Amino acid sequence: MAVPKKRTSRSKKIIRNTLWKKKGYLKALKAFSLGQSIFTGNSKSFFCNKYQR
């Protein structure tokens, strides 16, 4: 028989939410940094032709 689960505490919910948001922030920061390095031409991992027509 199905039994209802206990409610998750508010503090645990906030901690999980904060970690979830932090992961997204770090991914965005990394993507921005990579884009910036490609734009300035300092990228070591990507090759891009700046003067493409």
Side-chain angles (χ1 to χ4, degrees):
M1 196 162 135
V3 180
K5 293 189 164 109
K6 287 189 174 180
R7 185 188 155 124
T8 307
S9 69
R10 183 169 164 79
S11 62
K12 203 171 273 189
K13 185 176 165 184
I14 290 171
I15 289 167
R16 285 191 186 134
N17 198 7
T18 306
L19 286 173
W20 184 75
K21 285 180 179 176
K22 190 175 183 180
K23 278 184 185 177
Y25 172 75
L26 291 175
K27 294 273 183 185
L29 199 65
K30 209 168 200 178
F32 182 76
S33 174
L34 179 63
Q36 209 173 19
S37 68
I38 289 172
F39 183 72
T40 56
N42 296 331
S43 178
K44 305 277 188 240
S45 59
F46 276 87
F47 174 77
C48 61
N49 193 356
K50 254 187 169 178
Y51 305 104
Q52 213 172 22
R53 288 185 182 218

mmCIF file of all heavy atoms in Angstrom:
data_model
loop_
_atom_site.group_PDB
_atom_site.id
_atom_site.type_symbol
_atom_site.label_atom_id
_atom_site.label_comp_id
_atom_site.label_asym_id
_atom_site.label_seq_id
_atom_site.Cartn_x
_atom_site.Cartn_y
_atom_site.Cartn_z
ATOM 1 N N MET A 1 0.831 -1.186 0.000
ATOM 2 C CA MET A 1 0.000 0.000 0.000
ATOM 3 C C MET A 1 0.879 1.254 0.000
ATOM 4 O O MET A 1 1.891 1.318 0.694
ATOM 5 C CB MET A 1 -0.875 -0.011 1.247
ATOM 6 C CG MET A 1 -2.022 0.936 1.167
ATOM 7 S SD MET A 1 -3.238 0.486 2.386
ATOM 8 C CE MET A 1 -3.594 2.052 3.052
ATOM 9 N N ALA A 2 0.480 2.232 -0.782
ATOM 10 C CA ALA A 2 1.264 3.465 -0.885
ATOM 11 C C ALA A 2 1.131 4.299 0.381
ATOM 12 O O ALA A 2 0.045 4.468 0.917
ATOM 13 C CB ALA A 2 0.798 4.271 -2.073
ATOM 14 N N VAL A 3 2.276 4.796 0.841
ATOM 15 C CA VAL A 3 2.302 5.622 2.047
ATOM 16 C C VAL A 3 2.856 6.988 1.672
ATOM 17 O O VAL A 3 3.874 7.065 0.995
ATOM 18 C CB VAL A 3 3.207 4.983 3.130
ATOM 19 C CG1 VAL A 3 3.248 5.819 4.383
ATOM 20 C CG2 VAL A 3 2.751 3.572 3.439
ATOM 21 N N PRO A 4 2.198 8.056 2.096
ATOM 22 C CA PRO A 4 2.721 9.383 1.769
ATOM 23 C C PRO A 4 4.086 9.624 2.416
ATOM 24 O O PRO A 4 4.315 9.215 3.547
ATOM 25 C CB PRO A 4 1.678 10.350 2.325
ATOM 26 C CG PRO A 4 0.748 9.556 3.146
ATOM 27 C CD PRO A 4 0.955 8.117 2.842
ATOM 28 N N LYS A 5 4.962 10.261 1.656
ATOM 29 C CA LYS A 5 6.307 10.544 2.165
ATOM 30 C C LYS A 5 6.269 11.750 3.094
ATOM 31 O O LYS A 5 5.377 12.584 3.022
ATOM 32 C CB LYS A 5 7.246 10.821 0.997
ATOM 33 C CG LYS A 5 7.479 9.600 0.149
ATOM 34 C CD LYS A 5 8.580 9.882 -0.852
ATOM 35 C CE LYS A 5 9.065 8.586 -1.417
ATOM 36 N NZ LYS A 5 8.738 8.291 -2.751
ATOM 37 N N LYS A 6 7.301 11.816 3.935
ATOM 38 C CA LYS A 6 7.395 12.957 4.844
ATOM 39 C C LYS A 6 7.785 14.199 4.057
ATOM 40 O O LYS A 6 8.504 14.125 3.070
ATOM 41 C CB LYS A 6 8.437 12.688 5.927
ATOM 42 C CG LYS A 6 7.983 11.691 6.958
ATOM 43 C CD LYS A 6 8.950 11.641 8.111
ATOM 44 C CE LYS A 6 8.402 10.733 9.194
ATOM 45 N NZ LYS A 6 9.302 10.648 10.326
ATOM 46 N N ARG A 7 7.336 15.323 4.526
ATOM 47 C CA ARG A 7 7.613 16.590 3.862
ATOM 48 C C ARG A 7 9.083 16.977 4.032
ATOM 49 O O ARG A 7 9.648 16.851 5.114
ATOM 50 C CB ARG A 7 6.717 17.659 4.500
ATOM 51 C CG ARG A 7 6.817 18.994 3.817
ATOM 52 C CD ARG A 7 6.059 20.025 4.632
ATOM 53 N NE ARG A 7 6.611 21.324 4.350
ATOM 54 C CZ ARG A 7 5.886 22.333 3.917
ATOM 55 N NH1 ARG A 7 4.600 22.208 3.749
ATOM 56 N NH2 ARG A 7 6.452 23.489 3.667
ATOM 57 N N THR A 8 9.701 17.467 2.943
ATOM 58 C CA THR A 8 11.088 17.941 2.987
ATOM 59 C C THR A 8 11.129 19.290 3.698
ATOM 60 O O THR A 8 10.287 20.153 3.447
ATOM 61 C CB THR A 8 11.644 18.102 1.567
ATOM 62 O OG1 THR A 8 11.447 16.879 0.866
ATOM 63 C CG2 THR A 8 13.120 18.418 1.576
ATOM 64 N N SER A 9 12.091 19.439 4.582
ATOM 65 C CA SER A 9 12.190 20.688 5.344
ATOM 66 C C SER A 9 12.540 21.859 4.432
ATOM 67 O O SER A 9 13.140 21.694 3.366
ATOM 68 C CB SER A 9 13.251 20.565 6.436
ATOM 69 O OG SER A 9 14.530 20.494 5.867
ATOM 70 N N ARG A 10 12.167 23.032 4.862
ATOM 71 C CA ARG A 10 12.392 24.252 4.080
ATOM 72 C C ARG A 10 13.884 24.509 3.863
ATOM 73 O O ARG A 10 14.302 24.902 2.772
ATOM 74 C CB ARG A 10 11.743 25.429 4.801
ATOM 75 C CG ARG A 10 11.855 26.736 4.049
ATOM 76 C CD ARG A 10 10.964 27.799 4.679
ATOM 77 N NE ARG A 10 11.310 29.127 4.247
ATOM 78 C CZ ARG A 10 10.962 29.643 3.078
ATOM 79 N NH1 ARG A 10 10.265 28.932 2.225
ATOM 80 N NH2 ARG A 10 11.309 30.875 2.751
ATOM 81 N N SER A 11 14.695 24.268 4.888
ATOM 82 C CA SER A 11 16.134 24.521 4.767
ATOM 83 C C SER A 11 16.774 23.590 3.735
ATOM 84 O O SER A 11 17.625 24.008 2.948
ATOM 85 C CB SER A 11 16.823 24.368 6.118
ATOM 86 O OG SER A 11 16.675 23.050 6.599
ATOM 87 N N LYS A 12 16.343 22.328 3.719
ATOM 88 C CA LYS A 12 16.881 21.379 2.757
ATOM 89 C C LYS A 12 16.482 21.773 1.330
ATOM 90 O O LYS A 12 17.268 21.664 0.395
ATOM 91 C CB LYS A 12 16.367 19.977 3.061
ATOM 92 C CG LYS A 12 17.238 18.875 2.511
ATOM 93 C CD LYS A 12 16.809 17.523 3.015
ATOM 94 C CE LYS A 12 17.481 17.219 4.329
ATOM 95 N NZ LYS A 12 17.282 15.836 4.770
ATOM 96 N N LYS A 13 15.257 22.255 1.199
ATOM 97 C CA LYS A 13 14.746 22.703 -0.096
ATOM 98 C C LYS A 13 15.557 23.894 -0.609
ATOM 99 O O LYS A 13 15.938 23.958 -1.782
ATOM 100 C CB LYS A 13 13.278 23.086 0.079
ATOM 101 C CG LYS A 13 12.552 23.450 -1.183
ATOM 102 C CD LYS A 13 11.094 23.715 -0.833
ATOM 103 C CE LYS A 13 10.380 24.425 -1.937
ATOM 104 N NZ LYS A 13 9.011 24.767 -1.585
ATOM 105 N N ILE A 14 15.855 24.845 0.289
ATOM 106 C CA ILE A 14 16.623 26.039 -0.074
ATOM 107 C C ILE A 14 18.054 25.654 -0.472
ATOM 108 O O ILE A 14 18.598 26.186 -1.437
ATOM 109 C CB ILE A 14 16.611 27.066 1.085
ATOM 110 C CG1 ILE A 14 15.211 27.668 1.221
ATOM 111 C CG2 ILE A 14 17.639 28.158 0.863
ATOM 112 C CD1 ILE A 14 15.007 28.510 2.448
ATOM 113 N N ILE A 15 18.658 24.711 0.269
ATOM 114 C CA ILE A 15 20.016 24.256 -0.031
ATOM 115 C C ILE A 15 20.077 23.639 -1.423
ATOM 116 O O ILE A 15 20.963 23.943 -2.219
ATOM 117 C CB ILE A 15 20.512 23.251 1.031
ATOM 118 C CG1 ILE A 15 20.772 23.960 2.358
ATOM 119 C CG2 ILE A 15 21.762 22.522 0.568
ATOM 120 C CD1 ILE A 15 20.955 23.043 3.547
ATOM 121 N N ARG A 16 19.120 22.767 -1.733
ATOM 122 C CA ARG A 16 19.081 22.121 -3.048
ATOM 123 C C ARG A 16 18.890 23.143 -4.156
ATOM 124 O O ARG A 16 19.526 23.060 -5.210
ATOM 125 C CB ARG A 16 17.948 21.100 -3.098
ATOM 126 C CG ARG A 16 18.265 19.843 -2.344
ATOM 127 C CD ARG A 16 17.241 18.770 -2.645
ATOM 128 N NE ARG A 16 17.474 17.618 -1.807
ATOM 129 C CZ ARG A 16 16.533 16.964 -1.153
ATOM 130 N NH1 ARG A 16 15.273 17.335 -1.250
ATOM 131 N NH2 ARG A 16 16.833 15.920 -0.425
ATOM 132 N N ASN A 17 18.013 24.089 -3.928
ATOM 133 C CA ASN A 17 17.730 25.123 -4.921
ATOM 134 C C ASN A 17 18.969 25.980 -5.176
ATOM 135 O O ASN A 17 19.286 26.321 -6.318
ATOM 136 C CB ASN A 17 16.560 25.977 -4.441
ATOM 137 C CG ASN A 17 15.915 26.765 -5.549
ATOM 138 O OD1 ASN A 17 16.252 26.596 -6.716
ATOM 139 N ND2 ASN A 17 14.997 27.636 -5.197
ATOM 140 N N THR A 18 19.681 26.318 -4.109
ATOM 141 C CA THR A 18 20.893 27.126 -4.220
ATOM 142 C C THR A 18 21.958 26.391 -5.020
ATOM 143 O O THR A 18 22.620 26.980 -5.880
ATOM 144 C CB THR A 18 21.436 27.481 -2.824
ATOM 145 O OG1 THR A 18 20.402 28.102 -2.074
ATOM 146 C CG2 THR A 18 22.619 28.418 -2.901
ATOM 147 N N LEU A 19 22.134 25.088 -4.749
ATOM 148 C CA LEU A 19 23.118 24.300 -5.489
ATOM 149 C C LEU A 19 22.753 24.227 -6.964
ATOM 150 O O LEU A 19 23.614 24.324 -7.835
ATOM 151 C CB LEU A 19 23.214 22.885 -4.907
ATOM 152 C CG LEU A 19 23.933 22.758 -3.567
ATOM 153 C CD1 LEU A 19 23.804 21.360 -3.027
ATOM 154 C CD2 LEU A 19 25.384 23.142 -3.699
ATOM 155 N N TRP A 20 21.469 24.069 -7.248
ATOM 156 C CA TRP A 20 20.981 23.994 -8.629
ATOM 157 C C TRP A 20 21.276 25.291 -9.373
ATOM 158 O O TRP A 20 21.737 25.285 -10.509
ATOM 159 C CB TRP A 20 19.487 23.689 -8.601
ATOM 160 C CG TRP A 20 18.872 23.501 -9.934
ATOM 161 C CD1 TRP A 20 18.988 22.418 -10.754
ATOM 162 C CD2 TRP A 20 18.033 24.430 -10.625
ATOM 163 N NE1 TRP A 20 18.267 22.608 -11.903
ATOM 164 C CE2 TRP A 20 17.665 23.841 -11.859
ATOM 165 C CE3 TRP A 20 17.538 25.693 -10.321
ATOM 166 C CZ2 TRP A 20 16.844 24.478 -12.767
ATOM 167 C CZ3 TRP A 20 16.718 26.320 -11.238
ATOM 168 C CH2 TRP A 20 16.383 25.719 -12.438
ATOM 169 N N LYS A 21 21.026 26.426 -8.708
ATOM 170 C CA LYS A 21 21.279 27.733 -9.321
ATOM 171 C C LYS A 21 22.778 27.978 -9.504
ATOM 172 O O LYS A 21 23.202 28.556 -10.505
ATOM 173 C CB LYS A 21 20.682 28.850 -8.468
ATOM 174 C CG LYS A 21 19.176 28.938 -8.580
ATOM 175 C CD LYS A 21 18.636 30.052 -7.727
ATOM 176 C CE LYS A 21 17.131 30.150 -7.851
ATOM 177 N NZ LYS A 21 16.573 31.172 -6.969
ATOM 178 N N LYS A 22 23.586 27.526 -8.548
ATOM 179 C CA LYS A 22 25.025 27.727 -8.611
ATOM 180 C C LYS A 22 25.624 26.974 -9.798
ATOM 181 O O LYS A 22 26.512 27.476 -10.477
ATOM 182 C CB LYS A 22 25.669 27.254 -7.311
ATOM 183 C CG LYS A 22 27.112 27.635 -7.161
ATOM 184 C CD LYS A 22 27.651 27.248 -5.804
ATOM 185 C CE LYS A 22 29.080 27.694 -5.649
ATOM 186 N NZ LYS A 22 29.621 27.333 -4.352
ATOM 187 N N LYS A 23 25.117 25.758 -10.056
ATOM 188 C CA LYS A 23 25.593 24.979 -11.198
ATOM 189 C C LYS A 23 25.346 25.741 -12.496
ATOM 190 O O LYS A 23 26.215 25.819 -13.358
ATOM 191 C CB LYS A 23 24.877 23.630 -11.268
ATOM 192 C CG LYS A 23 25.439 22.576 -10.375
ATOM 193 C CD LYS A 23 24.715 21.262 -10.605
ATOM 194 C CE LYS A 23 25.172 20.206 -9.644
ATOM 195 N NZ LYS A 23 24.421 18.957 -9.816
ATOM 196 N N GLY A 24 24.159 26.300 -12.636
ATOM 197 C CA GLY A 24 23.815 27.068 -13.821
ATOM 198 C C GLY A 24 24.679 28.297 -13.971
ATOM 199 O O GLY A 24 25.119 28.651 -15.071
ATOM 200 N N TYR A 25 24.942 28.961 -12.851
ATOM 201 C CA TYR A 25 25.776 30.168 -12.859
ATOM 202 C C TYR A 25 27.192 29.833 -13.313
ATOM 203 O O TYR A 25 27.781 30.551 -14.119
ATOM 204 C CB TYR A 25 25.798 30.797 -11.468
ATOM 205 C CG TYR A 25 26.775 31.933 -11.339
ATOM 206 C CD1 TYR A 25 26.506 33.177 -11.894
ATOM 207 C CD2 TYR A 25 27.991 31.758 -10.681
ATOM 208 C CE1 TYR A 25 27.411 34.225 -11.791
ATOM 209 C CE2 TYR A 25 28.902 32.799 -10.567
ATOM 210 C CZ TYR A 25 28.604 34.024 -11.123
ATOM 211 O OH TYR A 25 29.506 35.052 -11.033
ATOM 212 N N LEU A 26 27.746 28.726 -12.807
ATOM 213 C CA LEU A 26 29.112 28.350 -13.174
ATOM 214 C C LEU A 26 29.211 27.967 -14.650
ATOM 215 O O LEU A 26 30.192 28.295 -15.317
ATOM 216 C CB LEU A 26 29.596 27.198 -12.288
ATOM 217 C CG LEU A 26 29.838 27.556 -10.822
ATOM 218 C CD1 LEU A 26 30.195 26.322 -10.008
ATOM 219 C CD2 LEU A 26 30.924 28.606 -10.685
ATOM 220 N N LYS A 27 28.180 27.280 -15.169
ATOM 221 C CA LYS A 27 28.168 26.921 -16.596
ATOM 222 C C LYS A 27 28.103 28.178 -17.462
ATOM 223 O O LYS A 27 28.793 28.284 -18.475
ATOM 224 C CB LYS A 27 26.967 26.031 -16.920
ATOM 225 C CG LYS A 27 27.002 24.680 -16.278
ATOM 226 C CD LYS A 27 27.752 23.703 -17.114
ATOM 227 C CE LYS A 27 27.691 22.336 -16.471
ATOM 228 N NZ LYS A 27 28.470 21.347 -17.127
ATOM 229 N N ALA A 28 27.277 29.138 -17.056
ATOM 230 C CA ALA A 28 27.142 30.388 -17.806
ATOM 231 C C ALA A 28 28.444 31.175 -17.778
ATOM 232 O O ALA A 28 28.853 31.762 -18.788
ATOM 233 C CB ALA A 28 26.006 31.217 -17.227
ATOM 234 N N LEU A 29 29.101 31.185 -16.633
ATOM 235 C CA LEU A 29 30.377 31.888 -16.485
ATOM 236 C C LEU A 29 31.437 31.289 -17.399
ATOM 237 O O LEU A 29 32.185 32.012 -18.067
ATOM 238 C CB LEU A 29 30.830 31.801 -15.023
ATOM 239 C CG LEU A 29 31.860 32.793 -14.544
ATOM 240 C CD1 LEU A 29 31.293 34.205 -14.582
ATOM 241 C CD2 LEU A 29 32.293 32.445 -13.132
ATOM 242 N N LYS A 30 31.475 29.948 -17.453
ATOM 243 C CA LYS A 30 32.433 29.257 -18.298
ATOM 244 C C LYS A 30 32.165 29.547 -19.780
ATOM 245 O O LYS A 30 33.083 29.789 -20.561
ATOM 246 C CB LYS A 30 32.344 27.759 -18.043
ATOM 247 C CG LYS A 30 33.607 27.015 -18.260
ATOM 248 C CD LYS A 30 33.489 25.618 -17.706
ATOM 249 C CE LYS A 30 34.868 25.048 -17.472
ATOM 250 N NZ LYS A 30 34.839 23.725 -16.903
ATOM 251 N N ALA A 31 30.885 29.520 -20.157
ATOM 252 C CA ALA A 31 30.507 29.786 -21.550
ATOM 253 C C ALA A 31 30.862 31.221 -21.938
ATOM 254 O O ALA A 31 31.355 31.475 -23.045
ATOM 255 C CB ALA A 31 29.021 29.534 -21.740
ATOM 256 N N PHE A 32 30.608 32.153 -21.039
ATOM 257 C CA PHE A 32 30.929 33.558 -21.300
ATOM 258 C C PHE A 32 32.432 33.743 -21.456
ATOM 259 O O PHE A 32 32.899 34.443 -22.350
ATOM 260 C CB PHE A 32 30.400 34.437 -20.171
ATOM 261 C CG PHE A 32 30.647 35.893 -20.384
ATOM 262 C CD1 PHE A 32 29.877 36.613 -21.286
ATOM 263 C CD2 PHE A 32 31.652 36.552 -19.698
ATOM 264 C CE1 PHE A 32 30.106 37.965 -21.499
ATOM 265 C CE2 PHE A 32 31.889 37.897 -19.906
ATOM 266 C CZ PHE A 32 31.111 38.603 -20.803
ATOM 267 N N SER A 33 33.194 33.087 -20.588
ATOM 268 C CA SER A 33 34.647 33.185 -20.630
ATOM 269 C C SER A 33 35.188 32.630 -21.943
ATOM 270 O O SER A 33 36.087 33.218 -22.562
ATOM 271 C CB SER A 33 35.239 32.425 -19.449
ATOM 272 O OG SER A 33 36.634 32.388 -19.538
ATOM 273 N N LEU A 34 34.634 31.490 -22.382
ATOM 274 C CA LEU A 34 35.062 30.889 -23.633
ATOM 275 C C LEU A 34 34.723 31.801 -24.810
ATOM 276 O O LEU A 34 35.548 32.015 -25.705
ATOM 277 C CB LEU A 34 34.402 29.521 -23.822
ATOM 278 C CG LEU A 34 34.737 28.772 -25.098
ATOM 279 C CD1 LEU A 34 36.218 28.435 -25.148
ATOM 280 C CD2 LEU A 34 33.915 27.512 -25.205
ATOM 281 N N GLY A 35 33.521 32.354 -24.802
ATOM 282 C CA GLY A 35 33.108 33.272 -25.858
ATOM 283 C C GLY A 35 33.997 34.501 -25.915
ATOM 284 O O GLY A 35 34.348 34.979 -26.993
ATOM 285 N N GLN A 36 34.361 34.988 -24.753
ATOM 286 C CA GLN A 36 35.221 36.160 -24.676
ATOM 287 C C GLN A 36 36.613 35.857 -25.241
ATOM 288 O O GLN A 36 37.179 36.660 -25.984
ATOM 289 C CB GLN A 36 35.336 36.592 -23.216
ATOM 290 C CG GLN A 36 35.557 38.051 -23.011
ATOM 291 C CD GLN A 36 35.483 38.438 -21.543
ATOM 292 O OE1 GLN A 36 35.604 37.585 -20.659
ATOM 293 N NE2 GLN A 36 35.280 39.703 -21.274
ATOM 294 N N SER A 37 37.151 34.687 -24.912
ATOM 295 C CA SER A 37 38.484 34.333 -25.398
ATOM 296 C C SER A 37 38.483 34.108 -26.906
ATOM 297 O O SER A 37 39.447 34.416 -27.593
ATOM 298 C CB SER A 37 39.031 33.111 -24.664
ATOM 299 O OG SER A 37 38.293 31.964 -24.987
ATOM 300 N N ILE A 38 37.382 33.544 -27.439
ATOM 301 C CA ILE A 38 37.275 33.364 -28.888
ATOM 302 C C ILE A 38 37.189 34.722 -29.573
ATOM 303 O O ILE A 38 37.835 34.969 -30.591
ATOM 304 C CB ILE A 38 36.053 32.490 -29.243
ATOM 305 C CG1 ILE A 38 36.316 31.044 -28.820
ATOM 306 C CG2 ILE A 38 35.734 32.545 -30.727
ATOM 307 C CD1 ILE A 38 35.115 30.136 -28.943
ATOM 308 N N PHE A 39 36.401 35.616 -28.993
ATOM 309 C CA PHE A 39 36.208 36.940 -29.575
ATOM 310 C C PHE A 39 37.507 37.736 -29.620
ATOM 311 O O PHE A 39 37.807 38.416 -30.595
ATOM 312 C CB PHE A 39 35.150 37.694 -28.775
ATOM 313 C CG PHE A 39 34.831 39.051 -29.331
ATOM 314 C CD1 PHE A 39 34.102 39.187 -30.511
ATOM 315 C CD2 PHE A 39 35.251 40.194 -28.681
ATOM 316 C CE1 PHE A 39 33.812 40.437 -31.035
ATOM 317 C CE2 PHE A 39 34.961 41.452 -29.187
ATOM 318 C CZ PHE A 39 34.240 41.570 -30.370
ATOM 319 N N THR A 40 38.307 37.642 -28.553
ATOM 320 C CA THR A 40 39.560 38.398 -28.500
ATOM 321 C C THR A 40 40.692 37.691 -29.232
ATOM 322 O O THR A 40 41.743 38.279 -29.461
ATOM 323 C CB THR A 40 39.998 38.650 -27.047
ATOM 324 O OG1 THR A 40 40.101 37.390 -26.374
ATOM 325 C CG2 THR A 40 39.032 39.545 -26.322
ATOM 326 N N GLY A 41 40.487 36.405 -29.573
ATOM 327 C CA GLY A 41 41.517 35.653 -30.288
ATOM 328 C C GLY A 41 42.533 34.999 -29.387
ATOM 329 O O GLY A 41 43.569 34.537 -29.852
ATOM 330 N N ASN A 42 42.258 34.927 -28.088
ATOM 331 C CA ASN A 42 43.191 34.306 -27.143
ATOM 332 C C ASN A 42 42.869 32.847 -26.852
ATOM 333 O O ASN A 42 43.468 32.248 -25.980
ATOM 334 C CB ASN A 42 43.181 35.073 -25.811
ATOM 335 C CG ASN A 42 43.689 36.476 -25.978
ATOM 336 O OD1 ASN A 42 44.501 36.750 -26.847
ATOM 337 N ND2 ASN A 42 43.198 37.386 -25.151
ATOM 338 N N SER A 43 41.926 32.276 -27.583
ATOM 339 C CA SER A 43 41.496 30.908 -27.314
ATOM 340 C C SER A 43 42.567 29.906 -27.713
ATOM 341 O O SER A 43 43.129 29.972 -28.801
ATOM 342 C CB SER A 43 40.203 30.603 -28.068
ATOM 343 O OG SER A 43 39.822 29.279 -27.841
ATOM 344 N N LYS A 44 42.844 28.962 -26.823
ATOM 345 C CA LYS A 44 43.831 27.916 -27.099
ATOM 346 C C LYS A 44 43.139 26.638 -27.586
ATOM 347 O O LYS A 44 43.742 25.795 -28.227
ATOM 348 C CB LYS A 44 44.624 27.585 -25.828
ATOM 349 C CG LYS A 44 45.273 28.782 -25.188
ATOM 350 C CD LYS A 44 46.591 29.120 -25.847
ATOM 351 C CE LYS A 44 47.315 30.184 -25.091
ATOM 352 N NZ LYS A 44 47.594 31.379 -25.804
ATOM 353 N N SER A 45 41.861 26.475 -27.253
ATOM 354 C CA SER A 45 41.171 25.230 -27.563
ATOM 355 C C SER A 45 40.291 25.308 -28.808
ATOM 356 O O SER A 45 39.865 24.284 -29.321
ATOM 357 C CB SER A 45 40.312 24.805 -26.375
ATOM 358 O OG SER A 45 39.372 25.813 -26.075
ATOM 359 N N PHE A 46 40.020 26.509 -29.309
ATOM 360 C CA PHE A 46 39.171 26.664 -30.482
ATOM 361 C C PHE A 46 39.916 27.420 -31.570
ATOM 362 O O PHE A 46 40.632 28.370 -31.297
ATOM 363 C CB PHE A 46 37.906 27.458 -30.135
ATOM 364 C CG PHE A 46 36.819 26.613 -29.563
ATOM 365 C CD1 PHE A 46 36.768 26.350 -28.205
ATOM 366 C CD2 PHE A 46 35.844 26.072 -30.377
ATOM 367 C CE1 PHE A 46 35.780 25.583 -27.678
ATOM 368 C CE2 PHE A 46 34.843 25.295 -29.864
ATOM 369 C CZ PHE A 46 34.803 25.046 -28.510
ATOM 370 N N PHE A 47 39.719 26.975 -32.795
ATOM 371 C CA PHE A 47 40.275 27.695 -33.932
ATOM 372 C C PHE A 47 39.124 28.344 -34.671
ATOM 373 O O PHE A 47 38.157 27.684 -35.042
ATOM 374 C CB PHE A 47 41.025 26.742 -34.864
ATOM 375 C CG PHE A 47 41.496 27.421 -36.122
ATOM 376 C CD1 PHE A 47 42.611 28.232 -36.096
ATOM 377 C CD2 PHE A 47 40.810 27.269 -37.309
ATOM 378 C CE1 PHE A 47 43.047 28.877 -37.254
ATOM 379 C CE2 PHE A 47 41.232 27.904 -38.465
ATOM 380 C CZ PHE A 47 42.355 28.704 -38.434
ATOM 381 N N CYS A 48 39.193 29.631 -34.852
ATOM 382 C CA CYS A 48 38.145 30.306 -35.601
ATOM 383 C C CYS A 48 38.774 31.356 -36.503
ATOM 384 O O CYS A 48 39.731 32.027 -36.136
ATOM 385 C CB CYS A 48 37.112 30.938 -34.672
ATOM 386 S SG CYS A 48 37.781 32.169 -33.584
ATOM 387 N N ASN A 49 38.222 31.468 -37.685
ATOM 388 C CA ASN A 49 38.690 32.449 -38.656
ATOM 389 C C ASN A 49 37.938 33.739 -38.415
ATOM 390 O O ASN A 49 36.735 33.806 -38.601
ATOM 391 C CB ASN A 49 38.468 31.924 -40.078
ATOM 392 C CG ASN A 49 39.196 32.739 -41.113
ATOM 393 O OD1 ASN A 49 39.820 33.746 -40.774
ATOM 394 N ND2 ASN A 49 39.123 32.317 -42.350
ATOM 395 N N LYS A 50 38.627 34.778 -37.974
ATOM 396 C CA LYS A 50 37.971 36.041 -37.631
ATOM 397 C C LYS A 50 37.421 36.746 -38.861
ATOM 398 O O LYS A 50 36.341 37.307 -38.838
ATOM 399 C CB LYS A 50 38.951 36.963 -36.914
ATOM 400 C CG LYS A 50 38.709 37.083 -35.450
ATOM 401 C CD LYS A 50 39.604 38.142 -34.887
ATOM 402 C CE LYS A 50 39.209 38.480 -33.488
ATOM 403 N NZ LYS A 50 40.053 39.465 -32.882
ATOM 404 N N TYR A 51 38.177 36.711 -39.944
ATOM 405 C CA TYR A 51 37.790 37.475 -41.129
ATOM 406 C C TYR A 51 37.127 36.555 -42.149
ATOM 407 O O TYR A 51 37.674 36.273 -43.195
ATOM 408 C CB TYR A 51 39.019 38.164 -41.710
ATOM 409 C CG TYR A 51 39.717 39.009 -40.691
ATOM 410 C CD1 TYR A 51 40.895 38.592 -40.104
ATOM 411 C CD2 TYR A 51 39.154 40.219 -40.262
ATOM 412 C CE1 TYR A 51 41.537 39.358 -39.146
ATOM 413 C CE2 TYR A 51 39.788 40.993 -39.310
ATOM 414 C CZ TYR A 51 40.968 40.556 -38.757
ATOM 415 O OH TYR A 51 41.575 41.313 -37.805
ATOM 416 N N GLN A 52 35.963 36.081 -41.808
ATOM 417 C CA GLN A 52 35.229 35.181 -42.686
ATOM 418 C C GLN A 52 34.155 35.949 -43.424
ATOM 419 O O GLN A 52 33.465 36.773 -42.838
ATOM 420 C CB GLN A 52 34.598 34.067 -41.847
ATOM 421 C CG GLN A 52 34.511 32.753 -42.541
ATOM 422 C CD GLN A 52 34.061 31.675 -41.569
ATOM 423 O OE1 GLN A 52 33.453 31.974 -40.564
ATOM 424 N NE2 GLN A 52 34.368 30.456 -41.868
ATOM 425 N N ARG A 53 33.980 35.692 -44.717
ATOM 426 C CA ARG A 53 32.965 36.413 -45.474
ATOM 427 C C ARG A 53 31.811 35.538 -45.807
ATOM 428 O O ARG A 53 31.803 34.430 -45.982
ATOM 429 C CB ARG A 53 33.554 36.977 -46.752
ATOM 430 C CG ARG A 53 34.457 38.114 -46.441
ATOM 431 C CD ARG A 53 34.933 38.751 -47.710
ATOM 432 N NE ARG A 53 35.843 39.818 -47.340
ATOM 433 C CZ ARG A 53 35.898 40.949 -47.952
ATOM 434 N NH1 ARG A 53 35.121 41.190 -48.978
ATOM 435 N NH2 ARG A 53 36.730 41.875 -47.581
#
